[in-house]
């Protein structure tokens, strides 16, 4: 026992440290959600394949955008599951599987940037889908479109501010070399 440390402080410290395992069920739930997204992706793909002979180019593009959107959301979940578990709970053992190079290297800051990047991409795809609907003669409520543009702008501004603050306040940021005399 360290000098001045009591059994109460050791018990409290150990309890707080072990509380990280309360996050594990969250990650298991996200894995289940990943499975649900896979089912939705396969349903969307199967539906598109059944319409293969009648698909117009704009419909094919909308289908592709839906599949890309689902894929980006699945990637987002995977980033949160793997990076979050490794950062907050414990190391993921992959057995004989080769680990992706980024695993174990993404800190909380990097995870935030990847999440925001994915969210902005998902927002952009949603807007592109609406513009495709409008281009093909479909209708969309003007107020909803304006709100989507505003929200997308706020998301883009947020990621820009986050990136700038990470760069400014990062303890490992690079120092510029001294100017040559």
């Amino acid at each position: 026992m360290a000098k001045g440390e009591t059994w109460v402080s050791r018990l409290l410290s150990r309890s707080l440290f072990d509380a990280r395992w309360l996050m594990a069920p969250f990650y298991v739930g996200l894995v289940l959600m990943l499975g649900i997204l896979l089912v939705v992706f396969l349903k969307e793909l199967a539906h598109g394949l059944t319409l293969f002979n009648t698909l117009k180019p704009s419909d094919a593009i909308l289908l592709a955008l839906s599949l890309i959107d689902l894929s980006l959301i699945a990637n987002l979940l995977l980033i949160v599951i793997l990076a979050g578990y490794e950062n907050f709970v414990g190391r993921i053992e992959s057995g004989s599987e080769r680990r992706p190079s980024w695993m174990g290297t993404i800190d909380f800051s990097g995870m935030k940037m990847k999440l925001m990047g994915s969210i902005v991409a998902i927002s952009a795809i949603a807007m592109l889908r609406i513009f495709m609907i409008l281009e093909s003669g479909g209708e969309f409520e003007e107020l909803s479109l304006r709100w989507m543009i505003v929200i997308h702008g706020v998301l883009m501004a947020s990621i820009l501010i986050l990136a700038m603050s990470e760069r400014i306040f990062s303890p490992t940021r690079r120092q510029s070399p001294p100017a040559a005399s």
Side-chain angles (χ1 to χ4, degrees), residues 113-144:
M113 291 304 296
K114 288 187 180 304
L115 289 172
M116 285 300 295
S118 294
I119 290 169
V120 168
I122 290 165
S123 172
I125 288 172
M127 286 182 44
L128 185 56
R129 186 182 302 133
I130 290 169
F131 289 133
M132 291 293 301
I133 290 169
L134 291 172
E135 185 179 276
S136 65
E139 292 193 21
F140 197 81
E141 190 177 322
E142 186 178 334
L143 183 60
S144 295

Side-chain angles (χ1 to χ4, degrees), residues 47-64:
H47 177 71
L49 291 175
T50 61
L51 301 173
F52 182 75
N53 291 331
T54 61
L55 229 56
K56 295 181 280 186
S58 60
D59 294 332
I61 292 170
L62 287 172
L63 175 62

Side-chain angles (χ1 to χ4, degrees), residues 93-113:
E93 294 300 325
S94 57
S96 63
E97 270 305 298
R98 196 170 144 242
R99 290 167 59 94
S101 61
W102 60 267
M103 274 190 70
T105 61
I106 296 180
D107 60 358
F108 188 65
S109 173
M111 190 167 69
K112 285 189 302 186
M113 291 304 296

Side-chain angles (χ1 to χ4, degrees), residues 34 37-38 40-42 44 63-79 118 121-122 125 129:
L34 193 58
L37 272 177
L38 174 61
V40 170
F41 180 91
L42 293 174
E44 189 80 12
L63 175 62
L65 289 174
S66 283
L67 296 177
I68 291 169
D69 207 14
L70 289 168
S71 174
L72 284 172
I73 293 169
N75 288 337
L76 183 66
L77 276 173
L78 197 59
I79 289 168
S118 294
I122 290 165
I125 288 172
R129 186 182 302 133

